[in-house]
Amino acid sequence: MSTDRIARMSALGDTASELRSFLEPFWMRRRIATGRLPDAGAACSEGMCGFTAAFTAEALRLLDGSEWRVAGGWPQSGGGMACRERRLNAHLWAVSDDGLVVDLTADQFGHPSVIVTGCHDPRYVESFTREEIERHLPRVMPLAEEWLGCAAAEGVIPSGMRLAA
């Protein structure tokens, strides 16, 4: 792996940790609003991957200028995130145009809370088609865009930039 790629992954790790810290209170507000409080001992990110992946892809696009997309998988189609027992779980994450994965909700499967890795990491098995992702995004984008607006207002991401459609 090149020194430039290592440096980029390190910088993305710092940024991803800041984004995760920003999002945690929003996750709890969402849970309270929907009456879905986490079980004792559950990760605060549980069930937040769709909203978070959409937020992360847009935030990183605004922060580093590269293209990001939402990716994911479903065990029924042979994809998702492998937990420590190697069982696949339905999951969504952000992927850059040069193949980097940023996941702010991996702790719900027993992994570190923030992961920055390459797309060939065996924990990430992409099985959703682009069409399946595009059908899912309208369900998560309204909340992700609300969070992006708050992030811009707080200076976490640049404001005044047009979000991708």
Side-chain angles (χ1 to χ4, degrees):
M1 192 177 313
S2 75
T3 326
D4 288 343
R5 189 157 172 95
I6 292 169
R8 181 161 187 243
M9 289 176 72
S10 178
L12 277 172
D14 293 343
T15 300
S17 293
E18 289 174 27
L19 293 174
R20 161 92 187 206
S21 293
F22 170 79
L23 285 174
E24 286 176 353
F26 289 92
W27 293 339
M28 187 53 71
R29 287 183 204 135
R30 170 73 179 171
R31 291 182 168 289
I32 291 168
T34 60
R36 295 181 179 176
L37 296 177
D39 294 332
C44 66
S45 65
E46 187 176 302
M48 296 290 124
C49 64
F51 305 113
T52 301
F55 169 91
T56 302
E58 288 298 314
L60 292 175
R61 183 184 66 77
L62 291 168
L63 288 164
D64 77 7
S66 60
E67 290 301 313
W68 288 84
R69 65 182 174 84
V70 175
W74 184 255
Q76 289 83 337
S77 60
M81 182 172 206
C83 65
R84 293 184 182 214
E85 298 84 33
R86 298 192 189 266
R87 186 183 79 245
L88 289 172
N89 297 278
H91 193 49
L92 294 161
W93 55 87
V95 178
S96 70
D97 57 353
D98 63 346
L100 293 178
V101 168
V102 174
D103 185 355
L104 307 185
T105 62
D107 55 329
Q108 65 184 307
F109 304 115
H111 296 291
S113 59
V114 173
I115 294 178
V116 175
T117 188
C119 63
H120 299 294
D121 186 315
R123 294 173 291 188
Y124 295 90
V125 182
E126 190 172 343
S127 67
F128 288 139
T129 65
R130 191 166 300 273
E131 293 78 26
E132 288 171 315
I133 294 290
E134 287 174 6
R135 280 194 310 266
H136 181 69
L137 285 177
R139 294 183 218 147
V140 297
M141 280 310 293
L143 189 56
E145 287 173 346
E146 179 183 319
W147 294 349
L148 286 160
C150 293
E154 292 185 26
V156 175
I157 63 171
S159 62
M161 300 179 79
R162 189 176 86 64
L163 298 178

